[in-house]
Amino acid sequence: MNALLEKPETIVPSEEDAALAAESSRILASKPSEGEFRVHLDDGQTLALPRAVKQLLAHLLTEMSHGNAVTLIPIHAEMTTQEAADYLNVSRPHLVKLLEEGTIPFHKVGSHRRVRFRDLKGYKDRITADRAKALDELAAQAQELNMGY
């Protein structure tokens, strides 16, 4: 099995790593996005990479430059209920309630629940969109009532 699926590692950048990531991010952002993306290795080899890798690398470097921890999770990865709860920043019992209500799809492996990251991300995106919509509606109501916001 893919090591990334077995145990995704969280990378916490040091201050030196963050500074190097900031510099690298600026350089990468200044390069045109069309055409092939090539990386030259110390041993003289050149790797031709998909264009999507440049976007991913730019995002990764930006997050690291801010000192943020970074974890790559494949979209098809399955997570335990504790991992899923940690991703949503909720308690495990609350997550289990969402699963049992059918709010988030899951399946069982033996007696253990497993959640696909794709389903978890979809739920999180829906909740984020619902919150933004509610805030927009509240702001509009405040404007209509001349509440000074």
Side-chain angles (χ1 to χ4, degrees), residues 11 13-14 17-30 53-70:
I11 306 298
S14 65
D17 289 343
L20 183 57
E23 180 183 341
S24 299
S25 178
R26 281 191 294 275
I27 293 169
L28 190 59
S30 71
V53 171
K54 182 181 177 194
Q55 287 180 290
L56 182 60
L57 185 57
H59 182 69
L60 177 74
L61 289 169
T62 300
E63 291 302 319
M64 287 182 74
S65 72
H66 291 111
N68 295 332
V70 178

Coordinates of all heavy atoms in Angstrom, one line a residue, residues 11 13-14 17-30 53-70:
I11 N 4.3 17.9 8.0 CA 5.6 18.6 8.0 C 5.5 20.0 8.6 O 4.6 20.8 8.2 CB 6.1 18.8 6.5 CG1 6.1 17.5 5.8 CG2 7.5 19.5 6.5 CD1 7.0 16.4 6.3
P13 N 7.4 23.3 9.3 CA 8.7 23.9 8.8 C 9.4 24.7 10.0 O 8.8 25.3 10.8 CB 8.2 24.9 7.8 CG 6.8 25.2 8.1 CD 6.3 24.0 8.8
S14 N 10.7 24.6 10.0 CA 11.5 25.4 10.9 C 11.5 26.8 10.4 O 11.1 27.1 9.3 CB 13.0 24.8 10.9 OG 13.6 25.0 9.7
D17 N 13.5 26.9 7.2 CA 12.7 26.3 6.1 C 11.6 27.3 5.6 O 11.4 27.4 4.4 CB 11.9 25.0 6.5 CG 12.9 23.8 6.7 OD1 14.0 23.9 6.2 OD2 12.5 22.9 7.4
A18 N 11.0 28.0 6.5 CA 10.0 29.0 6.2 C 10.6 30.1 5.3 O 10.0 30.6 4.4 CB 9.3 29.5 7.4
A19 N 11.7 30.6 5.7 CA 12.4 31.6 5.0 C 12.8 31.2 3.6 O 12.5 31.9 2.6 CB 13.6 32.1 5.7
L20 N 13.3 30.0 3.4 CA 13.7 29.4 2.1 C 12.4 29.2 1.3 O 12.4 29.5 0.1 CB 14.4 28.1 2.3 CG 14.9 27.4 1.0 CD1 15.8 28.4 0.2 CD2 15.7 26.1 1.4
A21 N 11.3 28.7 1.9 CA 10.1 28.5 1.2 C 9.5 29.8 0.7 O 9.0 29.9 -0.4 CB 9.0 27.8 2.1
A22 N 9.6 30.9 1.5 CA 9.1 32.2 1.0 C 9.9 32.7 -0.2 O 9.3 33.1 -1.2 CB 9.3 33.2 2.2
E23 N 11.2 32.5 -0.2 CA 12.1 32.9 -1.3 C 11.7 32.1 -2.5 O 11.5 32.6 -3.7 CB 13.5 32.8 -1.0 CG 14.5 33.2 -2.1 CD 15.9 32.9 -1.7 OE1 16.3 32.8 -0.5 OE2 16.8 32.8 -2.6
S24 N 11.6 30.8 -2.4 CA 11.3 29.9 -3.5 C 9.9 30.1 -4.0 O 9.7 30.1 -5.3 CB 11.4 28.4 -3.0 OG 12.7 28.1 -2.5
S25 N 9.0 30.4 -3.2 CA 7.6 30.7 -3.6 C 7.6 32.0 -4.5 O 6.9 32.0 -5.5 CB 6.7 30.9 -2.4 OG 5.4 31.3 -2.8
R26 N 8.3 33.0 -4.1 CA 8.4 34.2 -4.9 C 9.0 34.0 -6.3 O 8.5 34.4 -7.3 CB 9.2 35.3 -4.2 CG 8.5 36.0 -3.1 CD 9.2 37.3 -2.6 NE 10.4 36.9 -1.9 CZ 10.5 36.6 -0.6 NH1 9.4 36.6 0.1 NH2 11.7 36.3 -0.1
I27 N 10.1 33.2 -6.3 CA 10.7 32.8 -7.6 C 9.8 32.0 -8.5 O 9.6 32.3 -9.7 CB 12.1 32.1 -7.4 CG1 13.1 33.0 -6.7 CG2 12.6 31.5 -8.7 CD1 14.3 32.2 -6.1
L28 N 9.1 31.0 -7.9 CA 8.2 30.2 -8.7 C 7.0 31.0 -9.2 O 6.6 30.8 -10.4 CB 7.7 29.1 -7.8 CG 6.9 27.9 -8.5 CD1 7.8 27.3 -9.5 CD2 6.5 26.9 -7.4
A29 N 6.5 31.9 -8.4 CA 5.4 32.8 -8.8 C 5.8 33.7 -10.0 O 4.9 34.1 -10.8 CB 4.9 33.6 -7.7
S30 N 7.0 34.0 -10.1 CA 7.5 35.0 -11.2 C 7.6 34.3 -12.5 O 7.8 35.0 -13.5 CB 8.8 35.6 -10.8 OG 9.9 34.7 -10.8
V53 N 1.7 20.3 -10.9 CA 2.6 20.2 -9.8 C 3.1 21.6 -9.5 O 3.4 21.8 -8.3 CB 3.8 19.2 -10.3 CG1 5.0 19.3 -9.3 CG2 3.3 17.8 -10.4
K54 N 3.3 22.5 -10.4 CA 3.7 23.8 -10.2 C 2.7 24.5 -9.2 O 3.1 25.2 -8.3 CB 3.9 24.6 -11.4 CG 4.4 26.0 -11.1 CD 4.6 26.9 -12.4 CE 5.0 28.2 -12.0 NZ 4.9 29.2 -13.1
Q55 N 1.4 24.4 -9.5 CA 0.4 25.0 -8.6 C 0.5 24.4 -7.2 O 0.4 25.1 -6.2 CB -1.0 24.7 -9.2 CG -1.3 25.6 -10.4 CD -2.7 25.3 -10.9 OE1 -3.0 24.2 -11.4 NE2 -3.6 26.2 -10.7
L56 N 0.6 23.1 -7.1 CA 0.7 22.4 -5.9 C 1.9 22.8 -5.1 O 1.9 23.1 -3.9 CB 0.7 20.9 -6.1 CG 0.7 20.0 -4.8 CD1 -0.5 20.3 -3.9 CD2 0.7 18.6 -5.2
L57 N 3.1 22.9 -5.8 CA 4.3 23.3 -5.2 C 4.2 24.7 -4.7 O 4.7 25.1 -3.6 CB 5.5 23.1 -6.1 CG 6.9 23.4 -5.6 CD1 7.2 22.5 -4.4 CD2 7.9 23.1 -6.7
A58 N 3.6 25.6 -5.5 CA 3.5 27.0 -5.1 C 2.7 27.1 -3.8 O 3.0 27.9 -2.9 CB 2.9 27.8 -6.2
H59 N 1.6 26.4 -3.8 CA 0.7 26.4 -2.6 C 1.4 25.9 -1.4 O 1.4 26.5 -0.3 CB -0.6 25.6 -2.9 CG -1.6 25.6 -1.8 ND1 -2.2 26.8 -1.4 CD2 -1.9 24.7 -0.9 CE1 -3.0 26.5 -0.4 NE2 -2.9 25.2 0.0
L60 N 2.1 24.8 -1.6 CA 2.9 24.2 -0.5 C 3.9 25.1 0.1 O 4.1 25.3 1.3 CB 3.6 22.9 -1.0 CG 4.5 22.1 -0.1 CD1 3.7 21.4 1.0 CD2 5.3 21.2 -0.8
L61 N 4.7 25.8 -0.8 CA 5.7 26.7 -0.4 C 5.1 27.9 0.3 O 5.7 28.4 1.3 CB 6.5 27.2 -1.6 CG 7.5 26.1 -2.2 CD1 8.0 26.6 -3.5 CD2 8.6 25.8 -1.2
T62 N 4.0 28.4 -0.2 CA 3.3 29.5 0.5 C 2.9 29.2 1.9 O 3.2 30.0 2.8 CB 2.1 30.0 -0.3 OG1 2.5 30.4 -1.6 CG2 1.4 31.1 0.3
E63 N 2.3 28.0 2.1 CA 1.9 27.6 3.4 C 3.1 27.5 4.3 O 3.1 27.9 5.5 CB 1.1 26.3 3.4 CG -0.3 26.5 2.7 CD -1.2 27.5 3.5 OE1 -1.2 27.5 4.7 OE2 -1.8 28.2 2.8
M64 N 4.2 26.8 3.8 CA 5.4 26.6 4.6 C 6.0 28.0 5.0 O 6.5 28.2 6.1 CB 6.4 25.8 3.9 CG 6.0 24.3 3.8 SD 7.2 23.3 3.0 CE 8.5 23.2 4.2
S65 N 6.0 28.9 4.0 CA 6.6 30.3 4.3 C 5.9 31.0 5.4 O 6.5 31.8 6.1 CB 6.6 31.1 3.0 OG 5.3 31.6 2.7
H66 N 4.6 30.7 5.7 CA 3.9 31.2 6.8 C 4.0 30.4 8.1 O 3.4 30.7 9.1 CB 2.4 31.3 6.4 CG 2.1 32.3 5.4 ND1 1.7 32.0 4.1 CD2 2.2 33.7 5.4 CE1 1.5 33.1 3.4 NE2 1.8 34.1 4.1
G67 N 4.9 29.4 8.0 CA 5.1 28.6 9.2 C 4.0 27.5 9.4 O 4.0 26.9 10.5
N68 N 3.1 27.3 8.5 CA 2.0 26.4 8.7 C 2.5 25.0 8.4 O 3.2 24.7 7.5 CB 0.9 26.7 7.7 CG 0.2 28.1 8.0 OD1 0.3 28.5 9.1 ND2 -0.3 28.7 7.0
A69 N 1.9 24.1 9.2 CA 2.2 22.6 9.0 C 1.4 22.2 7.8 O 0.4 22.7 7.5 CB 1.7 21.8 10.2
V70 N 2.0 21.3 7.1 CA 1.5 20.8 5.8 C 1.4 19.3 5.7 O 2.3 18.6 6.1 CB 2.3 21.3 4.6 CG1 1.8 20.8 3.3 CG2 2.4 22.8 4.6

